[in-house]
Amino acid sequence: MICCRLLPVNLISRIKTLSLWILFILFSNGQCFYLPGLAPVNYCEEIRATDTCKSQVKLYVNRLDSEKSVIPYEYNSFDFCRANGDDSPVENLGQVVFGERIRSSPYNISFLKEEECKLLCVKHYDFSDPAAVEKIDFLKKGAMKNYEHHWIVDNMPVTYCYEVEGGGSFCSLGFPMGCYVDTQGVAQDACMVDRGRFSEPDTFYLFNHVDLQITFHSGNSEVWGGNFGDRGGRITRIKVTPRSIKYDSKPTEDSCSKSPPEPLPMSLKSKYGRNEKLTIYYTYSVLFHKDNSIKWSSRWDYLLDSMPHTNIQWFSVLNSLVIVLFLSGMVAMILLRTLHKDIARYNQIDSEDDAQEEFGWKLVHGDVFRPPRYSMILSVFLGSGVQVFCMTLTTLFFACLGFLSPANRGALMTCAMVMFVCLGTPAGYVSARLYKSFGGYKWKMNVFLTALLCPGVVFTIFFILNLFLWAKGSSAAIPFTTLIALLAMWFGVSLPLTFVGAYFGFKKRVFEHPVRTNQIPRQIPNQTVYTQPVPGIVMGGILPFGCIFIQLFFILNSIWSNQMYYMFGFLFLVFIILAITCSETTILLCYFHLCAEDYHWWWRSFLTSGFTAFYLFVYCIHYFMTKLTITGTISTILYFGYTLIMVFLFFLLTGTIGFFACFWFVRKIYSVVKVD
């Protein structure tokens, strides 16, 4: 039988779970199977520990980041307590690229062993030592910019939950390392932990104590591999409450008391004298709580349900999809009815006198398939666009099945990069065959540009941004060995696959167009404002952008505001709607231009839907100005650098969709009319 549980968050995820169970029944042959990152772990007391039941609850620390800065730092970059050994889990490619650095922590937690004000480590600072001054200054910088810890226990994020307006609660994936009260006495949001105690102006407060509450589920039905009763179970939630406590001596159990009078907060002055000294004690408390109402299979629900604007997002996405589907249906209906009348009228023309009265898009049948200018670059863009399209479609498909869930860290980015590298064959095939159909003969240049141009643009921007991160000592800086691995994947896998695809593309016959091309190009009449190239291209990207901007807001939140994105089912639907909308918009505008006897549709079809990327860039600027609090020149450069990469790939994706939709449309309409 199948003994695995997935992550049901809502009805859609339960449907995904059911489909996965069916697949597992067909292919597992009765063996127990778990998705990566989703296997349950049993915990019990130390005296009952076995191979199937662990007593040590490992706490891992991840990078620290901030909404005010794009530059994350590794945990050990700050002068916090460090672990003696290093049994850190191996990070996958996606985690490394995203800057995650999961390390062991010095916290010693045993299952069901509660601690009260346990000393973690002691840090002494003598400000006559420049190294000590540098360490304290870096701690103050992190507190001022609201850098947050990100901890992991049992593959679950340690969450910091607090009340928000309206009586609800919000659980953040990180918790602040400290806070700052400015010279005017205004405290940062991070000081909301206990605003009454943080009141001294121009002072930094360090959260040097954490209260950890670990919730677990116990019972025979959930604990597999043995009956541990109330003395064992599976961890379902881990919540943390940071506190700032000033210790005058080595902490005792009474030092962390929450009852009045509470201890003074651990404050850091903005400036220290050369002869001053400082001692910081780091402590923690651990409390275990049994709650059998929370199943292990649904332990992520509280975190996902507490994401801000979740209900609004569901309503907005559904509303957007209905509107876009309605508009797309109207456009398709009008276009099909008009075309049907045109084709019927053209096919009824029999006499020579009637033939001389031809008008509209039939007049340009001898020029509509004339090869475009810069056919080399167009074919290269289309090949790379097909590669991006296939990568996106495949990645979203696996994400909808649950293989790329938030529990499997870095899997989404890893899958996307691996898919892009392995899809060099369709890129080479499409680029080579189109270039051959355009009459090109520089096939070597075509293959090399397909394999190197667009990936080279992305890698160059990425490498330049990585230099800034290296200079800042950020954890997001890609190690040199990883860069070598990325280059090896590019030149060792993607490049040969592109050559293979190009070989088969050039071996294929050129596309046979339904009408012949005249030797002398036809003169294009003067165009009205709305049939000129630039206005048509500018208008073409509005409707496709309208179907993605709501989802785009939550995607940007997940990237820049440390919020979890998990609605891949809706994202997949939005992607399909985007493809349909790009296709219909491009076809509609192409039809108008052909009716105006303008047969230059090759580049225009690509740029019309590709212009959606321009609106994406404008929206990212708006998001930066209104939603983010990023400060600093380097952080601003990094934000817009990564945005350029996203916009460029989106340009290739949408442009390719529009081109092939228009390519199919033009071939279709000219194949059903009588042309002498």
Side-chain angles (χ1 to χ4, degrees):
M1 62 179 292
I2 302 303
C3 50
C4 67
R5 296 228 176 199
L6 296 178
L7 185 65
V9 178
N10 45 49
L11 180 60
I12 292 179
S13 62
R14 293 181 187 275
I15 295 175
K16 300 174 193 172
T17 304
L18 180 60
S19 62
L20 281 175
W21 278 35
I22 295 174
L23 291 175
F24 295 159
I25 292 174
L26 293 176
F27 297 104
S28 62
N29 293 325
Q31 299 298 320
C32 189
F33 181 83
Y34 299 106
L35 289 179
L38 296 179
V41 178
N42 302 324
Y43 291 95
C44 58
E45 290 181 304
E46 187 173 0
I47 58 175
R48 301 172 181 236
T50 61
D51 293 339
T52 59
C53 181
K54 297 181 179 180
S55 62
Q56 194 70 19
V57 180
K58 292 186 178 181
L59 189 151
Y60 294 101
V61 293
N62 204 341
R63 65 178 184 177
L64 285 85
D65 54 23
S66 169
E67 292 187 8
K68 293 186 176 182
S69 176
V70 184
I71 307 173
Y73 290 100
E74 194 171 344
Y75 177 85
N76 291 335
S77 298
F78 296 91
D79 193 31
F80 297 132
C81 303
R82 301 189 180 187
N84 295 326
D86 187 11
D87 58 347
S88 306
V90 178
E91 294 149 348
N92 56 43
L93 183 61
Q95 289 176 293
V96 175
V97 171
F98 265 119
E100 293 194 17
R101 301 294 183 267
I102 302 177
R103 301 288 182 261
S104 300
S105 75
Y107 293 87
N108 185 15
I109 304 175
S110 297
F111 191 73
L112 293 182
K113 183 180 180 181
E114 298 187 348
E115 303 285 355
E116 184 67 29
C117 207
K118 184 174 182 180
L119 179 64
L120 188 65
C121 71
V122 184
K123 295 290 183 179
H124 300 283
Y125 300 96
D126 185 351
F127 293 101
S128 61
D129 183 7
V133 176
E134 183 179 354
K135 292 177 181 179
I136 288 295
D137 287 343
F138 200 55
L139 284 175
K140 291 189 291 186
K141 175 185 175 182
M144 176 177 286
K145 288 187 173 291
N146 283 337
Y147 272 84
E148 294 185 343
H149 290 277
H150 293 277
W151 292 357
I152 302 170
V153 172
D154 192 37
N155 202 36
M156 280 280 293
V158 177
T159 56
Y160 169 45
C161 299
Y162 54 88
E163 294 184 357
V164 294
E165 296 181 1
S169 63
F170 171 66
C171 292
S172 172
L173 299 180
F175 64 94
M177 59 172 287
C179 67
Y180 173 65
V181 179
D182 62 19
T183 55
Q184 305 299 323
V186 179
Q188 293 177 337
D189 292 339
C191 294
M192 287 296 295
V193 176
D194 194 348
R195 185 177 292 274
R197 300 173 65 227
F198 306 137
S199 57
E200 188 174 348
D202 196 22
T203 303
F204 299 85
Y205 293 95
L206 183 67
F207 296 136
N208 59 329
H209 175 86
V210 292
D211 293 319
L212 291 169
Q213 182 183 27
I214 301 177
T215 304
F216 67 97
H217 179 108
S218 67
N220 301 337
S221 61
E222 278 287 309
V223 181
W224 300 336
N227 180 10
F228 304 103
D230 294 338
R231 312 310 296 171
R234 290 175 178 171
I235 294 176
T236 54
R237 293 182 181 180
I238 311 97
K239 295 183 179 180
V240 61
T241 302
R243 297 168 60 193
S244 180
I245 302 176
K246 182 178 181 180
Y247 302 103
D248 296 326
S249 59
K250 185 177 180 180
T252 61
E253 290 189 1
D254 297 332
S255 302
C256 301
S257 174
K258 297 182 181 179
S259 59
E262 293 188 49
L264 295 174
M266 184 63 227
S267 59
L268 303 176
K269 295 187 296 185
S270 58
K271 293 183 179 180
Y272 283 94
R274 185 176 179 84
N275 297 325
E276 291 188 78
K277 296 182 179 180
L278 177 68
T279 301
I280 300 177
Y281 294 90
Y282 288 91
T283 57
Y284 68 99
S285 301
V286 182
L287 175 66
F288 286 88
H289 174 66
K290 184 180 73 171
D291 187 353
N292 287 342
S293 64
I294 304 173
K295 303 296 184 181
W296 180 88
S297 57
S298 59
R299 61 178 185 166
W300 287 77
D301 288 9
Y302 86 101
L303 213 167
L304 303 178
D305 292 339
S306 68
M307 288 292 139
H309 311 298
T310 302
N311 295 329
I312 298 175
Q313 181 183 9
W314 282 87
F315 174 77
S316 300
V317 170
L318 286 173
N319 185 57
S320 177
L321 290 177
V322 170
I323 293 175
V324 172
L325 284 173
F326 175 76
L327 292 176
S328 301
M330 292 296 294
V331 170
M333 183 179 65
I334 294 172
L335 192 59
L336 290 175
R337 290 187 63 183
T338 306
L339 267 178
H340 179 73
K341 291 181 180 179
D342 288 346
I343 293 172
R345 183 170 62 252
Y346 287 150
N347 288 337
Q348 288 175 357
I349 298 176
D350 296 325
S351 65
E352 295 182 359
D353 295 336
D354 292 336
Q356 294 176 359
E357 297 177 1
E358 289 180 354
F359 60 92
W361 53 270
K362 187 179 179 182
L363 278 177
V364 295
H365 65 82
D367 299 277
V368 72
F369 292 107
R370 188 177 303 280
R373 294 181 180 180
Y374 311 108
S375 58
M376 173 76 78
I377 299 299
L378 180 59
S379 61
V380 169
F381 279 178
L382 291 171
S384 297
V386 168
Q387 192 173 7
V388 175
F389 176 83
C390 295
M391 174 201 73
T392 306
L393 188 65
T394 307
T395 303
L396 288 179
F397 174 75
F398 283 113
C400 288
L401 291 179
F403 289 97
L404 309 180
S405 69
N408 198 0
R409 292 175 177 82
L412 185 67
M413 188 65 179
T414 302
C415 179
M417 296 180 68
V418 171
M419 287 293 103
F420 184 83
V421 170
C422 295
L423 289 169
T425 301
Y429 177 84
V430 171
S431 177
R433 191 166 186 195
L434 284 175
Y435 182 65
K436 184 179 180 181
S437 299
F438 293 152
Y441 56 90
K442 298 180 181 179
W443 63 271
K444 294 181 181 179
M445 180 66 69
N446 175 262
V447 175
F448 277 104
L449 286 179
T450 304
L452 302 179
L453 180 60
C454 294
V457 171
V458 174
F459 184 82
T460 301
I461 298 175
F462 183 77
F463 181 75
I464 293 174
L465 298 178
N466 200 55
L467 293 179
F468 287 105
L469 295 171
W470 267 340
K472 286 291 185 178
S474 171
S475 66
I478 307 301
F480 181 75
T481 53
T482 305
L483 284 177
I484 296 299
L486 291 176
L487 290 174
M489 293 172 61
W490 182 10
F491 291 102
V493 179
S494 182
L495 184 64
L497 290 178
T498 305
F499 272 84
V500 172
Y503 171 79
F504 288 105
F506 279 115
K507 293 286 287 184
K508 281 282 188 178
R509 294 187 301 173
V510 297
F511 290 106
E512 296 182 1
H513 301 307
V515 291
R516 294 192 302 268
T517 302
N518 297 333
Q519 293 183 354
I520 302 176
R522 182 185 181 88
Q523 185 176 2
I524 300 175
N526 294 330
Q527 301 293 306
T528 58
V529 174
Y530 71 92
T531 57
Q532 290 180 355
V534 175
I537 291 173
V538 172
M539 291 186 298
I542 296 177
L543 187 58
F545 177 76
C547 73
I548 66 167
F549 79 96
I550 296 178
Q551 281 291 326
L552 183 62
F553 171 76
F554 293 99
I555 292 174
L556 293 178
N557 275 349
S558 67
I559 297 175
W560 304 112
S561 298
N562 301 321
Q563 295 182 14
M564 189 176 296
Y565 189 89
Y566 61 95
M567 301 176 66
F568 295 110
F570 270 107
L571 184 60
F572 186 78
L573 290 177
V574 169
F575 176 73
I576 299 300
I577 295 299
L578 172 66
I580 296 173
T581 310
C582 286
S583 302
E584 292 181 345
T585 305
T586 307
I587 289 173
L588 183 62
L589 292 175
C590 179
Y591 173 72
F592 289 154
H593 289 115
L594 291 177
C595 289
E597 301 178 19
D598 185 354
Y599 51 84
H600 294 308
W601 64 272
W602 299 95
W603 270 105
R604 188 176 299 160
S605 63
F606 183 85
L607 296 176
T608 297
S609 56
F611 202 76
T612 310
F614 173 78
Y615 294 104
L616 170 62
F617 184 70
V618 172
Y619 184 84
C620 289
I621 296 176
H622 168 74
Y623 182 83
F624 178 82
M625 301 292 291
T626 59
K627 302 297 181 182
L628 297 180
T629 56
I630 292 177
T631 58
T633 304
I634 301 299
S635 292
T636 304
I637 293 174
L638 290 171
Y639 174 84
F640 285 102
Y642 289 123
T643 299
L644 282 177
I645 294 177
M646 181 172 62
V647 168
F648 178 67
L649 295 176
F650 192 75
F651 168 72
L652 295 176
L653 171 66
T654 53
T656 301
I657 293 173
F659 174 87
F660 281 105
C662 200
F663 183 68
W664 169 84
F665 170 75
V666 173
R667 288 173 56 87
K668 191 70 175 177
I669 63 175
Y670 283 98
S671 65
V672 295
V673 296
K674 297 177 182 179
V675 177
D676 294 332

